Amino acid sequence: MAANSELAGDIEGEYGGNRVQPFATPKQEQRLMDEEKRQNPSTWKKILGFEDIFSVKVWRASMAELLGTAVLVFALDTIVISSIQTDTKTPNLVMSTLVAIIITILLIATFPISGGHINPLVSFAAALTGITSFTRAAIYILAQCVGGIFGALALEAVVTKKIAHNFSLGGCTLNVVVPGPDGPVEIGLGTRQALWLEIICSFVFLFASVWMAFDSRQAKALGRVTVCIVIGTVLGLLVFVSTTVTAQKGYAGAGLNPARCLGPALVRGGHLWDRHWVFWAGPAIACVAFALYTKLIPSQNLHTIK
């Protein structure tokens, strides 16, 4: 008996003090399997996150995305129109500076509620890198697109028809039609060049700024406000670069936010739909490239917010 007691004690000590059960009934095995599944959901289940569809918290957070994107579109498109209309010598510089400021303010306002995406580019990248589920990202993108439409409608309600027509509601354009000596002439940027600009600028945006928000080490070290300022500044610089490097009239610069491009296109229509797909394809390709880049980083150097 003493030997048996010592053996039992050894077994308990080896497994952390839990007595080993030599046999388990089928019901007990099933119960243990169910408990393990609840504690460790499958990878696909976590990636897809279908339960977010029924999460009140997610839908409430999406309202912040909707309102944030609506304000963003209204403010940015107003900035685009006013920067060009005032005939300043450096409209690109004025526009990019104001863009950086408004982006920073809106990120600070929405970050505590929804994470401060206000951009399908950020939401899709977050899903591909495992920061959020694809279902949550889809809900956010839907809210952002609706917000973009509301923002464009609000802008159309406060500007004159002439301004809305002349400046295309400040929307994303690759080309415009202007009067020429021999009739209307189309000026702007080619599809290939515009697509490459969209891909490169979107990737730089994710790599140089958004990744700070995804990385828990940098986010904690720098602080929320600093991260938002960096993101706003990088986005403003990219707006300046994309509009300056081409120097093409008719090209409004890299969109860097498909929801912002969608709003004016749906409300105003016309040439805003011309090659509109570029403003979606470019960011999507950049997100995939960025996700592949993150997979190349050694796991011990990758500390993301889960």
Side-chain angles (χ1 to χ4, degrees), residues 87-284:
D87 291 329
T88 59
K89 293 183 178 180
T90 55
N92 297 349
L93 181 60
V94 173
M95 181 169 61
S96 59
T97 302
L98 294 175
V99 165
I101 294 172
I102 192 64
I103 290 292
T104 301
I105 293 172
L106 289 175
L107 286 177
I108 294 173
T110 58
F111 184 86
I113 305 170
S114 64
H117 292 196
I118 57 175
N119 189 340
L121 169 64
V122 177
S123 297
F124 189 40
L128 289 177
T129 53
I131 304 301
T132 187
S133 69
F134 275 89
T135 300
R136 180 188 287 259
I139 293 172
Y140 275 15
I141 291 172
L142 175 62
Q144 291 154 5
C145 290
V146 174
I149 297 170
F150 284 170
L153 287 171
L155 181 60
E156 188 181 47
V158 299
V159 300
T160 63
K161 291 183 178 181
K162 183 179 179 180
I163 290 178
H165 173 74
N166 292 343
F167 298 98
S168 304
L169 272 184
C172 305
T173 59
L174 297 184
N175 63 279
V176 293
V177 178
V178 296
D182 301 319
V185 178
E186 185 179 281
I187 58 173
L189 202 65
T191 303
R192 182 177 61 84
Q193 190 177 1
L195 181 60
W196 273 113
L197 266 174
E198 203 72 33
I199 294 171
I200 294 170
C201 288
S202 296
F203 183 86
V204 171
F205 175 53
L206 293 170
F207 174 78
S209 60
V210 174
W211 189 235
M212 292 184 185
F214 288 173
D215 190 332
S216 59
R217 297 171 302 171
Q218 295 189 69
K220 185 176 181 180
L222 296 174
R224 180 190 304 171
V225 174
T226 303
V227 170
C228 292
I229 292 172
V230 171
I231 293 174
T233 302
V234 170
L235 193 57
L237 287 172
L238 289 172
V239 170
F240 178 77
V241 169
S242 65
T243 53
T244 304
V245 73
T246 57
Q248 287 284 345
K249 290 184 178 180
Y251 176 58
L256 296 171
N257 189 330
R260 187 188 84 79
C261 299
L262 179 66
L266 282 173
V267 173
R268 192 68 195 170
H271 71 284
L272 287 174
W273 285 114
D274 184 22
R275 292 172 290 173
H276 177 78
W277 61 270
V278 169
F279 300 109
W280 288 87

